Amino acid sequence: MSRLCRLTLTFLFVFFPFIAHAQWYKHSFKVMGTMSHVEFWLDQQSKTDNDIINAGVAQNEQAQALIKAVELEMVRIDQQMSPYKEQSELSLVNRSADKKPVLISGELFELLSTAQHISALSDGAFDITYASIGYQYNYREKTRPSQSSIVQTLPAINYTAISLDKKRSTVYFNHQGMKIDLGGIAKGYAVKRCLTLLEEAGIKHALVSAGGDTGLLGNRKGRPWLVGIKHPRAEHKMAVHIPLENEAISTSGDYERYFIEDGVRYHHIINPKTGDSARKVVSVSVIGKDPTYVDALSTTVFVKGLTPGLKLINALPDFEAIIIDNQRRLHYSQGLQQ
Ligand code: AMP
Ligand code: MG
């Protein structure tokens, strides 16, 4: 290291002892078919000139290890819960649970239980068995099930037909041909797991996102994080920015995966009562402490639409919502109206 470099470091250490080795670390990567992002503040204090140099190296290594751990955790959850991977635990369940009870991991059991809780809370607007018809849509190929196929398959959308046996840790579908999908909840769960991982490593300021699901630890060092909600009809524009600390926010929009046929938008959020895409609003963001619930609730409120959606959120003290309706008007739940 050059003399000048050492002098600069010594200067930094003497005059800015707490910031000499503190910095933001950021990393973006693709997983779960979407872009994920992690960003955190890492600081260490050292005492001597040489320690400063060593601490800098150690800190970079620690930061890279944390970034890797976050990425691996998301990949692990994707491998467990992806419907596109034949070997995933979810695929195994979908192949067999309509024939016999399937033994599942405690982790999947917990997530299925949470999904069931939100289905009950939302009167079935959130229903992971939507997949019984949902898997017949292909947004890339622009294909969708015929009306007769929907009518025939609709009875296989029914969350009450999922039997969870906690003692045996098994899942059973009381309906032949029933399928489940965790696309409306698994990214929020992955964000939650990654935030926990960072928190346990002593991180106090962090952002983790997977697609439209974001979780925050603390603030952005003295100021709030500013999380953007995408403009539903202008890809690179934001409709609004929300200042947040220590919260999670998830956005569900009809612009994520869709195709348009005869002027009708067919997109990835399905109304379980009709087997068709939900079209009452165009974007829903939900804010709250638990990233898993926030993710599932944004999908839920999207299906419910403006008035019933706000009614549900206003009845839940721990959650708030921002809805963009079909006329592109913004609506806020009660707690955000001051
Ligand atoms: P999100 O972007 O969080 O709103 O999640 C959308 C994803 O949730 C879709 O891609 C599906 O995987 C899944 N999904 C769609 N409709 C429903 C529904 N009614 N209940 C639960 N999950 C759903
Ligand atoms: Mg969601």
Side-chain angles (χ1 to χ4, degrees):
M1 175 158 311
S2 73
R3 239 189 108 158
L4 181 64
C5 204
R6 271 175 179 277
L7 271 174
T8 311
L9 280 171
T10 308
F11 172 83
L12 279 173
F13 175 62
V14 171
F15 292 100
F16 304 98
F18 299 112
I19 62 165
H21 281 130
Q23 73 175 87
W24 288 104
Y25 288 88
K26 299 179 188 183
H27 179 58
S28 298
F29 53 99
K30 218 175 161 191
V31 67
M32 300 182 171
T34 187
M35 279 313 287
S36 289
H37 182 73
V38 55
E39 187 172 339
F40 55 85
W41 176 264
L42 188 59
D43 53 19
Q44 258 174 23
Q45 290 160 30
S46 57
K47 294 187 185 67
T48 69
D49 188 12
N50 275 342
D51 279 352
I52 293 172
I53 297 157
N54 294 336
V57 173
Q59 182 177 301
N60 275 335
E61 279 173 6
Q62 192 194 350
Q64 293 315 318
L66 282 174
I67 285 170
K68 194 81 213 155
V70 164
E71 192 168 343
L72 285 177
E73 182 62 358
M74 290 230 185
V75 168
R76 183 187 70 78
I77 293 168
D78 187 34
Q79 278 169 353
Q80 184 182 12
M81 300 184 185
S82 168
Y84 306 109
K85 295 185 165 50
E86 250 184 62
Q87 297 311 314
S88 71
E89 199 177 5
L90 183 102
S91 294
L92 172 76
V93 168
N94 275 337
R95 274 197 297 275
S96 311
D98 65 343
K99 296 169 197 77
K100 58 178 193 312
V102 176
L103 184 67
I104 54 174
S105 63
E107 189 174 27
L108 184 59
F109 192 95
E110 282 306 312
L111 198 60
L112 294 184
S113 305
T114 304
Q116 290 295 75
H117 178 220
I118 295 164
S119 296
L121 202 75
S122 67
D123 193 22
F126 186 84
D127 188 335
I128 57 174
T129 69
Y130 90 91
S132 307
I133 289 179
Y135 288 154
Q136 296 178 36
Y137 286 85
N138 187 325
Y139 303 98
R140 223 176 279 162
E141 309 267 316
K142 304 185 183 191
T143 54
R144 61 188 176 90
S146 65
Q147 194 50 36
S148 65
S149 176
I150 288 181
V151 170
Q152 207 186 333
T153 322
L154 214 46
I157 300 185
N158 176 10
Y159 72 93
T160 65
I162 300 178
S163 294
L164 291 169
D165 184 332
K166 194 166 172 64
K167 245 201 208 145
R168 295 193 171 85
S169 194
T170 58
V171 56
Y172 176 65
F173 300 158
N174 279 305
H175 196 287
Q176 178 117 51
M178 183 176 259
K179 304 270 184 256
I180 58 168
D181 177 80
L182 297 171
I185 190 169
K187 289 205 288 292
Y189 173 69
V191 164
K192 181 175 175 166
R193 289 278 315 181
C194 292
L195 281 184
T196 304
L197 186 156
L198 291 172
E199 200 173 15
E200 284 173 0
I203 299 293
K204 303 239 169 353
H205 308 274
L207 177 153
V208 176
S209 71
D213 304 295
T214 302
L216 307 167
L217 269 187
N219 57 22
R220 206 175 190 286
K221 290 283 296 169
R223 36 195 182 106
W225 296 92
L226 265 192
V227 183
I229 295 178
K230 278 189 189 169
H231 189 295
R233 294 293 178 264
E235 213 182 323
H236 299 294
K237 264 200 198 160
M238 292 295 161
V240 58
H241 281 92
I242 317 287
L244 290 172
E245 297 183 14
N246 248 325
E247 300 266 3
I249 176 166
S250 282
T251 298
S252 295
D254 66 0
Y255 48 84
E256 290 291 346
R257 275 190 285 144
Y258 72 97
F259 63 89
I260 291 176
E261 190 186 302
D262 299 331
V264 180
R265 182 178 288 251
Y266 296 92
H267 68 89
H268 67 314
I269 302 172
I270 304 295
N271 181 343
K273 307 252 174 342
T274 63
D276 189 10
S277 299
R279 297 195 189 84
K280 290 175 186 153
V281 293
V282 296
S283 166
V284 172
S285 301
V286 170
I287 300 167
K289 295 284 176 209
D290 185 329
T292 313
Y293 270 82
V294 163
D295 182 9
L297 283 173
S298 69
T299 315
T300 305
V301 173
F302 194 104
V303 171
K304 280 197 163 287
L306 184 60
T307 307
L310 282 179
K311 193 171 167 212
L312 173 69
I313 292 294
N314 287 334
L316 300 172
D318 298 334
F319 301 96
E320 299 299 338
I322 299 163
I323 302 179
I324 306 179
D325 69 19
N326 282 316
Q327 282 74 46
R328 320 257 169 95
R329 284 180 307 225
L330 279 163
H331 302 263
Y332 297 89
S333 61
Q334 274 163 7
L336 295 176
Q337 280 172 14
Q338 302 86 335

